[in-house]
Amino acid sequence: MAKLLYYFPLDNLVNNEITNNYKSQVQAALENKNIEVDFDQHKGSFLNFKDESKLELTFKKTINKGGTLINFFFNYDKKNNNDTISLITIGDKVLSATKSNNRNAVSFKNSIKVNDADFKIRENNWFNGSVYFDEVGNLDIYITEENFLLNRKPVISVNNSVEGQNMMIGGNKEGDQLKIADLSVYTDVSPDEVENMINKSIQKHLTLLSKSTLIDTVSFALTNNTEYDKLIIENEQQPLFFEFFPGDMTLENYDNCVAKLKAKKGFFKYHKNTEESDGIDVPLNLKDQQANNTNLKTKLEGVSIINSLEQERVLVQLEIYNLTLTKDDFSQTYTKSQPLIIDKVFEILDVRGGSDCPFEVFILGNDTLYNGAGNNTQTVNLIINNISDEVLKFSETSGFRVSGNFLAILENDVQQTNNAKLKQFSSFTDIPTKPKSTSNDFLYCQKEYVLNKGESVILEISGLKAKQPTSVNPSGSYPFYLEYKNIAGYRNGKVKFCIKTGKIFYSL
């Protein structure tokens, strides 16, 4: 049965790096970082690759083996209409858009598909693309038309005989732009599941499809803190308020008025549901009537902001129904069966806790992985010491993981470092944790745990095996990070420690 292996929303940059929740499994490298997060009313948020900028993803596992489906949204703009623009490169094979006899086309390897009655592709329009590798060595390219209706057969089918672990996005000529979002990699996809999986991926991630019907002065606001003009993430969740501003128009009728807010999955949480929600139905009540203007304002009950993708900006789309707006005696705007749609970008500010790190981290005992011939697997024990002046409380959402750019010093089959346990320092007894998953490699506490001032816990990582030294990874000291999240009173962060390779000696 098909399952999701990796998902990259490609709509957030932190310190000029993309959000990567698979650091132990996928290396992400940006080059010529002329890349920015942008928004539009058709797709929502996306990553815009300008000029020669590119993103290379190197996967621990082969990504173009049989049963793999790669799905993504794309939009391109070529400076020179006679040039080819690369959409996505898998291994050494490039899926590109081009011109052929003055007609738009897509090409892969030596095959090309030109615009015809059944297939249309053009610049400055959003499409969904999929690359499917079947079990007998064939590769199929699926591309939707601009209304995201899937053609029931692939636009290109070729033989694929080479497996690879790299994927590249961008890397085009100066002046070119490639917009891309929601890159998903599915595994164990059978041929009869392909169409259904593509349609499910489109339905799941295309939450902002409708074109905005924005009227110039009409707007809306979301607020949860009167001190800021941004949406605030803080330790104690504050109520979220919605307000609709008709601007220079007048609200004539708002009986049974209903609004729906849409944002990327993982931004809102609606507490009546067990899962995060893409859309929220908001009933509006009249409040704060003014002489020449009437605003609709309501408190969003049971709704909180979780921002699980840690975005710095978010595009929110409003659909509002059953509303009548008038500007003068000769113009009216009704929203009955068709909604009024408004897009708005909100800045997000995280003020949870202090920015200082509450932990000191170092290795207990042996801090060197032997990298000689015939080396065996080893265990590393990280001491996590509470250096704050207060008691730290770990909840079910508190977690730790090890990350860094030098996982390549480890043998490939242990780079995920999944054999991790959290232990009490004095007794070395296990602290209950939740099972780790491929979609999130944080090790989470299973229940509340209290770490007093000056006390420590141990993160035990077993099954590690260093590669033999080469010019690329010689013996020496390598920096790694312990990442922590959802520690009450503190922002998410990381603290540095080092692992050595070479001849074993002991540090006590």
Side-chain angles (χ1 to χ4, degrees):
M1 180 179 291
K3 59 183 179 182
L4 180 65
L5 194 61
Y6 306 108
Y7 169 60
F8 293 89
L10 299 178
D11 66 351
N12 196 38
L13 291 174
V14 178
N15 298 324
N16 289 323
E17 299 294 338
I18 68 160
T19 298
N20 178 10
N21 293 322
Y22 310 93
K23 292 180 180 179
S24 62
Q25 305 169 51
V26 186
Q27 294 181 356
L30 286 173
E31 295 185 23
N32 188 31
K33 301 177 181 178
N34 191 8
I35 300 174
E36 64 181 8
V37 175
D38 209 344
F39 307 84
D40 69 21
Q41 61 195 31
H42 305 284
K43 177 63 187 79
S45 47
F46 55 84
L47 208 55
N48 190 1
F49 291 79
K50 297 181 178 180
D51 304 329
E52 299 176 351
S53 59
K54 65 181 178 181
L55 167 66
E56 184 169 5
L57 300 173
T58 303
F59 296 80
K60 180 179 178 181
K61 299 179 180 179
T62 300
I63 57 167
N64 54 347
K65 64 180 182 179
T68 300
L69 175 69
I70 300 171
N71 184 267
F72 57 97
F73 291 86
F74 68 93
N75 180 319
Y76 66 95
D77 182 12
K78 298 196 302 292
K79 182 178 181 181
N80 186 332
N81 286 337
N82 294 320
D83 285 340
T84 296
I85 186 168
S86 170
L87 304 178
I88 188 170
T89 302
I90 303 170
D92 60 350
K93 306 299 188 296
V94 183
L95 175 63
S96 59
T98 187
K99 284 277 189 177
S100 178
N101 297 323
N102 293 320
R103 290 194 294 169
N104 289 295
V106 292
S107 64
F108 188 83
K109 294 179 69 171
N110 297 321
S111 299
I112 189 168
K113 176 66 174 179
V114 180
N115 275 7
D116 56 27
D118 298 322
F119 172 73
K120 300 289 184 184
I121 190 171
R122 57 185 56 83
E123 296 177 57
N124 298 310
N125 283 269
W126 280 100
F127 295 88
N128 182 269
S130 289
V131 182
Y132 175 63
F133 303 86
D134 69 16
E135 297 288 351
V136 295
N138 296 319
L139 182 151
D140 295 330
I141 306 291
Y142 294 84
I143 294 180
T144 63
E145 48 127 71
E146 60 184 318
N147 291 320
F148 296 97
L149 300 176
L150 177 65
N151 294 291
R152 293 185 176 274
K153 59 182 180 179
V155 297
I156 294 176
S157 294
V158 296
N159 178 264
N160 179 67
S161 58
V162 180
E163 292 188 351
Q165 294 176 253
N166 289 13
M167 182 187 302
M168 190 180 75
I169 300 170
N172 293 292
K173 295 182 179 180
E174 185 176 353
D176 290 342
Q177 290 190 51
L178 173 65
K179 303 171 183 177
I180 194 163
D182 298 305
L183 173 68
S184 302
V185 180
Y186 298 91
T187 189
D188 299 330
V189 182
S190 63
D192 57 356
E193 288 182 294
V194 172
E195 183 181 335
N196 186 44
M197 291 304 299
I198 295 173
N199 286 329
K200 280 186 176 180
S201 187
I202 293 172
Q203 181 181 12
K204 182 176 182 180
H205 298 301
L206 194 67
T207 60
L208 300 171
L209 173 61
S210 304
K211 291 184 178 181
S212 174
T213 55
L214 176 65
I215 301 172
D216 289 342
T217 61
V218 177
S219 184
F220 71 99
L222 289 174
T223 54
N224 63 348
N225 192 305
T226 57
E227 296 182 14
Y228 300 91
D229 58 356
K230 302 177 181 181
L231 291 173
I232 307 302
I233 311 294
E234 47 193 327
N235 291 324
E236 296 296 329
Q237 182 73 50
Q238 300 301 312
L240 183 63
F241 289 90
F242 168 89
E243 190 166 8
F244 176 78
F245 304 103
D248 59 358
M249 304 190 77
T250 302
L251 280 168
E252 292 289 340
N253 191 338
Y254 44 85
D255 293 341
N256 301 316
C257 179
V258 174
K260 178 181 289 187
L261 296 174
K262 293 183 179 181
K264 272 212 174 274
K265 190 174 182 66
F267 183 72
F268 289 124
K269 184 174 183 180
Y270 195 35
H271 298 293
K272 290 184 179 180
N273 298 338
T274 57
E275 296 183 356
E276 303 152 12
S277 178
D278 289 322
I280 300 175
D281 292 326
V282 183
L284 295 179
N285 298 314
L286 183 61
K287 188 178 180 181
D288 298 334
Q289 183 170 342
Q290 301 175 13
N292 298 316
N293 187 25
T294 301
N295 298 342
L296 296 177
K297 186 174 183 178
T298 187
K299 179 180 177 181
L300 305 188
E301 299 288 352
V303 178
S304 61
I305 298 173
I306 54 173
N307 195 27
S308 60
L309 297 178
E310 298 184 359
Q311 301 174 88
E312 297 171 350
R313 298 188 297 167
V314 64
L315 180 89
V316 179
Q317 187 177 83
L318 167 69
E319 292 184 2
I320 188 165
Y321 297 81
N322 301 328
L323 192 71
T324 303
L325 297 171
T326 62
K327 190 171 184 178
D328 51 46
D329 294 338
F330 305 100
S331 64
Q332 286 187 328
T333 299
Y334 295 93
T335 60
K336 295 179 179 177
S337 60
Q338 295 298 321
L340 175 67
I341 301 173
I342 305 172
D343 299 327
K344 188 170 181 179
V345 175
F346 292 90
E347 300 286 336
I348 305 166
L349 179 63
D350 190 337
V351 296
R352 288 177 293 186
S355 59
D356 293 337
C357 176
F359 300 115
E360 176 186 44
V361 174
F362 56 91
I363 295 178
L364 175 66
N366 177 40
D367 60 357
T368 303
L369 299 178
Y370 177 57
N371 60 4
N375 56 332
N376 296 315
T377 58
Q378 295 173 238
T379 297
V380 167
N381 289 305
L382 290 181
I383 294 287
I384 306 173
N385 185 32
N386 177 10
I387 59 173
S388 72
D389 292 327
E390 55 194 17
V391 173
L392 298 180
K393 293 184 179 180
F394 301 165
S395 68
E396 293 181 4
T397 61
S398 301
F400 299 92
R401 71 175 175 187
V402 173
S403 64
N405 295 324
F406 293 99
L407 291 171
I409 67 171
L410 303 173
E411 292 289 355
N412 292 336
D413 58 344
V414 298
Q415 285 186 13
Q416 291 187 60
T417 61
N418 272 336
N419 299 322
K421 294 181 179 179
L422 202 61
K423 294 176 174 288
Q424 294 183 11
F425 174 70
S426 56
S427 63
F428 261 72
T429 56
D430 288 350
I431 298 172
T433 55
K434 298 177 183 178
K436 293 172 73 174
S437 67
T438 56
S439 61
N440 194 324
D441 52 358
F442 273 91
L443 185 66
Y444 289 100
C445 293
Q446 198 171 81
K447 58 183 180 180
E448 184 177 287
Y449 182 83
V450 174
L451 185 63
N452 292 317
K453 176 184 176 181
E455 292 185 346
S456 303
V457 292
I458 294 176
L459 182 64
E460 179 190 88
I461 309 172
S462 59
L464 300 179
K465 188 175 182 180
K467 292 180 180 177
Q468 293 190 33
T470 66
S471 58
V472 178
N473 51 279
S475 297
S477 182
Y478 291 89
F480 288 86
Y481 294 94
L482 176 75
E483 296 187 31
Y484 55 89
K485 68 186 304 184
N486 298 329
I487 307 298
Y490 288 87
R491 301 181 192 175
N492 299 342
K494 59 185 179 181
V495 56
K496 183 179 177 180
F497 68 95
C498 290
I499 294 178
K500 299 174 183 176
T501 62
K503 181 180 179 180
I504 292 181
F505 64 94
Y506 291 89
S507 302
L508 298 178

